[in-house]
Amino acid sequence: METDVNPQPVQEPVQSVDLVVSILAEFDSAAITKTYEELRALPGPLRIAVLENDQRESLAPVSSAAPEGSEDQKNAVIFHVSSPSAKPRGNPGVSSVSEAYQSVFAAADKLQARGCCVIASKHESEKPGWIWQLAQPLFDKGVDLVLPHYARRKFEGLLNNGIIAPLIRALYGKRVNNPMGPDFAVSQRLIQTMLEVRAGGNGNRRQLLASLTSTALCQNLQVAEMHFGARVYSPTDWTAMSSVLADVLSPVFLDMERNAPCWQRTRASAALPSLGEPRYVAEDKVDLDIARMIESFQLGNRELQEIWGLVLPPATLFDLRRLALPAAERFRMSDELWVRIVYDFALAHRLHTISRDHLLRSLTPLYLGWVASYAQDLKAAGASSPEQRLERLSLAYEAGKSYLVSRWRWPDRFNP
Amino acid sequence: MWQQVKQALADSTAHFLTRLARLLPGLAALIVAIVVAIVLAWILAVVARRLLTSLRFDERLGRWGSASLGEWSPKNSPTILVSRTLAILVIVSGFLIGVAAFDFDWTYWSVQTIFAYIPNVVAGLAIWLVGNIIARFLARSVLIGAVNLNLQYARFLSIGVKWLVIVLAVAMALEHLKIAPGIVQLAFGILFGGIVLSMSLAVGLGSKEFVTKSLERDSKKAASELRPSEPVEADPLRHL
């Protein structure tokens, strides 16, 4: 009987797998082929389903492992499974990425997978087998959620560093560096929890990416961080800055409202278990043009007082007006002021003080003011790494939590 | 002759008294209708004031950007304005019902005409109110959007958009009320066209620099794609 030298990929219907891997990042076909080869090199009898969609037509054919039950089954078995949703293209919003995650979780649940790994970003350089490094703690250490800890340059991931990460840290008491991934490894237990939350109507589609970490922390599940190299960020589109802010912060604030009973109890923060070796990147000596950002802040200060006055207390408004006066080189927004602003906006979002879209878009000049001040601080300190500066900011968020809790519980008392 | 004069006087007096007597039930009905309307108006005003106070109507209106309504209101309170308006409407309705009680054709016709006009008034008011709300919402959207684009004339754009929508809403409301339709149409056309023209001039002249910078940026990007070996000035900021 002739044997087929080059066996075709396995197309059998898949009942259950150990791991589901979904690649949402826009990898070229060479990168995807390399990923498949790395996965195939993993030890058997691991069964891995890779979610794919029709867009990847140029993918080189991947040969399957030997059929199960054969003596040569030393490698993992890879199954190609049609992805239930299309890959987000270009610069997708949080909502479309959350939809993709939702579909991946549903597929993993259907395949009764013990874990799920989502790769949604490109990295500048990674060691071979890094995808398995992300997923391995789910199997070896019983971790429910593995978050990435990217090596960062000082002006990368500013929205995460300035608002999301320190906010999550102050709220839930865990020092998470990248609570919104976007690369994750999730256990079956957490997948089912997220799907139950979705089915219970307590969450909506947009919240999955924003609520994954907070749900795991509130449910006291095992969360760990894995060190990676630097990731590739999309370039800044200054015309869409306010849309990005609104798109990212709205689900974060909605999630904050949903988890209020959980985060109001936490006090100090603790570090997460860290996996892998810390990675560092060389800093480029860049000279940032902060004049544009300060100009945007000053224009917002002049024209948006009427809107900010509905959200911020008089003391904060006074501090902002004073901030707009000095020359650019002396422009400094204190951490305490920035933290109060973020908390006040979170509260206004909850109270529907004004249209939520207007509220978050009006935060843009304030955010740009903070970025300019942060850049000035780093320049003045001659710092090549932002870690110390961001640690100070995180401590300010923790210190300001009592202000948030008071305003959250008694909004009328502090109503501006 | 005196007999004839006396007879004429007696006849006209009798005629007058007969007609007065015919008016009396209508007059009594008018007085009763007004008194009942006043009582009902008072009750309705109290209920409306309590309801609106519990809903924090004044505060919410302020947040929706209608703070100027407070300036027109008695004691700076839109709640009092609404409750008094409701009361006045009830009293006017009672008056009209009382007037209709007079058994004259012209009173009946007048009341019928007034009542037939009320739906137009309601529709006109609704259009004006909705127009105001939309105007303020759009003005705020334009203000925030223009500030985020670093446009120095953001406030001017916002006011222009607000008045465009308000003028449109008022013109539509007046057309519903059938008040001097020809003049309203002409005035609306002139006002609307004037506002649009002045905004176009302001945007066109004011954003020359913005358009120039945008075109320069596009041409640099195109040039760098043709000559990839030349370094391009990169923005190091990455937000997400």
Side-chain angles (χ1 to χ4, degrees):
Chain A
M1 185 174 159
E2 284 185 344
T3 55
D4 193 353
V5 178
N6 294 314
Q8 294 302 309
V10 174
Q11 296 294 340
E12 66 195 56
V14 182
Q15 303 299 326
S16 67
V17 295
D18 296 305
L19 177 68
V20 166
V21 175
S22 176
I23 301 173
L24 300 180
E26 287 184 27
F27 285 359
D28 55 25
S29 52
I32 295 179
T33 306
K34 190 179 159 196
T35 302
Y36 271 89
E37 284 167 4
E38 284 175 12
L39 289 173
R40 280 210 62 241
L42 294 172
L46 210 57
R47 293 162 59 85
I48 301 175
V50 179
L51 294 189
E52 62 170 345
N53 55 38
D54 294 333
Q55 277 100 4
R56 292 190 290 106
E57 288 165 357
S58 58
L59 176 67
V62 176
S63 59
S64 70
E68 284 189 62
S70 76
E71 293 173 355
D72 295 330
Q73 197 192 350
K74 293 178 187 169
N75 295 355
V77 179
I78 309 296
F79 297 94
H80 303 279
V81 178
S82 287
S83 174
S85 72
K87 190 183 290 191
R89 290 279 172 202
N91 281 332
V94 170
S95 50
S96 64
V97 175
S98 287
E99 290 272 351
Y101 277 92
Q102 185 67 38
S103 305
V104 170
F105 282 13
D109 186 53
K110 198 170 166 191
L111 290 169
Q112 300 166 33
R114 290 163 50 202
C116 170
C117 192
V118 182
I119 308 302
S121 67
K122 291 186 199 173
H123 296 203
E124 288 184 5
S125 62
E126 275 309 337
K127 296 176 185 169
W130 68 273
I131 295 178
W132 175 240
Q133 279 183 357
L134 184 64
Q136 193 175 12
L138 301 177
F139 302 100
D140 295 352
K141 296 184 167 66
V143 174
D144 292 296
L145 176 64
V146 182
L147 293 166
H149 182 176
Y150 305 110
R152 58 188 163 196
R153 296 186 177 87
K154 51 190 176 184
F155 296 128
E156 287 181 345
L158 291 173
L159 196 50
N160 176 65
N161 296 339
I163 300 177
I164 300 169
L167 181 65
I168 296 288
R169 169 173 165 167
L171 291 179
Y172 302 104
K174 293 290 182 192
R175 295 175 200 167
V176 183
N177 285 278
N178 295 95
M180 287 175 73
D183 304 317
F184 291 114
V186 185
S187 72
Q188 185 185 49
R189 184 163 46 174
L190 183 52
I191 289 171
Q192 283 172 353
T193 304
M194 295 305 298
L195 292 174
E196 276 166 17
V197 163
R198 170 84 175 85
N202 290 332
N204 60 43
R205 285 177 185 272
R206 295 176 65 196
Q207 290 191 20
L208 193 139
L209 192 56
S211 63
L212 189 62
T213 301
S214 56
T215 303
L217 293 173
C218 283
Q219 304 269 342
N220 292 318
L221 299 177
Q222 295 290 320
V223 181
E225 279 190 330
M226 172 68 72
H227 285 284
F228 288 115
R231 62 173 275 222
V232 175
Y233 289 85
S234 39
T236 300
D237 180 2
W238 289 98
T239 57
M241 196 67 239
S242 59
S243 300
V244 169
L245 266 175
D247 201 31
V248 171
L249 291 181
S250 185
V252 171
F253 287 160
L254 280 171
D255 188 63
M256 200 172 145
E257 197 179 325
R258 188 166 67 86
N259 290 330
C262 168
W263 57 257
Q264 290 190 41
R265 294 194 299 264
T266 56
R267 292 289 174 261
S269 67
L272 284 176
S274 187
L275 306 167
E277 292 298 318
R279 309 270 289 275
Y280 302 98
V281 283
E283 281 286 350
D284 299 329
K285 291 226 182 296
V286 289
D287 210 8
L288 197 60
D289 176 22
I290 61 166
R292 173 174 51 179
M293 290 183 277
I294 294 178
E295 194 186 313
S296 184
F297 171 80
Q298 286 170 337
L299 180 63
N301 212 16
R302 272 200 312 275
E303 306 292 2
L304 297 183
Q305 283 291 326
E306 181 197 324
I307 296 171
W308 291 351
L310 297 171
V311 176
L312 303 171
T316 305
L317 289 173
F318 177 72
D319 288 339
L320 289 172
R321 274 196 286 268
R322 225 173 34 178
L323 200 59
L325 295 173
E329 22 324 324
R330 284 178 300 164
F331 182 85
R332 288 292 190 283
M333 184 187 286
S334 69
D335 288 343
E336 291 72 26
L337 175 60
W338 173 240
V339 166
R340 284 204 315 267
I341 289 168
V342 171
Y343 285 157
D344 286 331
F345 269 76
L347 180 65
H349 190 269
R350 172 201 171 204
L351 295 177
H352 273 282
T353 306
I354 58 174
S355 154
R356 284 174 167 172
D357 190 61
H358 286 172
L359 174 77
L360 294 175
R361 285 173 189 269
S362 68
L363 181 61
T364 307
L366 294 165
Y367 168 70
L368 292 176
W370 174 79
V371 173
S373 174
Y374 165 78
Q376 296 272 67
D377 283 340
L378 287 182
K379 189 177 174 186
S384 59
S385 163
E387 304 302 331
Q388 279 185 353
R389 180 66 189 85
L390 294 173
E391 178 63 20
R392 261 195 353 252
L393 177 66
S394 298
L395 290 172
Y397 269 87
E398 288 185 45
K401 189 174 173 183
S402 53
Y403 171 81
L404 170 68
V405 172
S406 303
R407 287 214 63 193
W408 195 274
R409 286 180 184 167
W410 303 287
D412 293 340
R413 199 177 288 183
F414 291 87
N415 195 346
Chain B
M1 190 179 117
W2 274 115
Q3 286 296 330
Q4 282 170 342
V5 168
K6 267 203 282 191
Q7 186 64 40
L9 275 172
D11 285 345
S12 70
T13 307
H15 184 67
F16 172 74
L17 288 173
T18 308
R19 292 198 74 164
L20 188 63
R22 275 171 64 193
L23 269 179
L24 283 175
L27 204 57
L30 175 65
I31 292 168
V32 167
I34 288 175
V35 166
V36 169
I38 288 172
V39 169
L40 276 175
W42 180 79
I43 293 170
L44 192 63
V46 164
V47 167
R49 201 176 303 163
R50 285 198 183 162
L51 186 64
L52 292 175
T53 306
S54 67
L55 292 174
R56 291 195 205 155
F57 180 66
D58 294 353
E59 207 177 288
R60 284 171 201 260
L61 218 56
R63 271 195 236 136
W64 293 343
S66 300
S68 56
L69 188 62
E71 290 164 13
W72 303 340
S73 313
K75 296 180 190 172
N76 278 343
S77 171
T79 298
I80 296 180
L81 178 69
V82 168
S83 61
R84 286 189 185 175
T85 305
L86 279 173
I88 289 169
L89 279 173
V90 170
I91 293 172
V92 166
S93 305
F95 176 76
L96 289 174
I97 290 168
V99 164
F102 288 106
D103 195 15
F104 294 139
D105 288 341
W106 66 268
T107 55
Y108 186 71
W109 177 85
S110 306
V111 168
Q112 216 179 10
T113 311
I114 290 169
F115 273 110
Y117 193 64
I118 285 175
N120 289 354
V121 172
V122 170
L125 266 174
I127 290 170
W128 178 78
L129 269 169
V130 169
N132 248 285
I133 291 170
I134 292 174
R136 287 174 199 281
F137 182 85
L138 285 177
R140 195 177 270 177
S141 299
V142 166
L143 178 66
I144 294 172
V147 164
N148 289 336
L149 286 174
N150 257 6
L151 298 177
Q152 298 297 323
Y153 48 87
R155 173 71 53 183
F156 175 77
L157 263 183
S158 164
I159 292 173
V161 163
K162 180 174 134 187
W163 280 104
L164 264 176
V165 177
I166 287 178
V167 162
L168 183 64
V170 166
M172 286 167 66
L174 287 174
E175 184 157 340
H176 254 282
L177 292 172
K178 298 185 177 74
I179 296 175
I183 294 174
V184 165
Q185 273 177 18
L186 187 62
F188 164 75
I190 293 170
L191 255 178
F192 200 85
I195 294 174
V196 168
L197 179 63
S198 58
M199 280 177 64
S200 307
L201 282 172
V203 169
L205 293 172
S207 59
K208 262 192 324 190
E209 213 176 292
F210 178 78
V211 170
T212 308
K213 276 187 190 164
S214 177
L215 287 172
E216 272 176 15
R217 207 168 34 236
D218 286 345
S219 67
K220 268 188 197 167
K221 191 176 166 189
S224 72
E225 280 167 6
L226 289 173
R227 295 188 293 273
S229 56
E230 288 187 13
V232 178
E233 192 182 298
D235 182 1
L237 279 179
R238 296 289 182 265
H239 298 278
L240 193 67

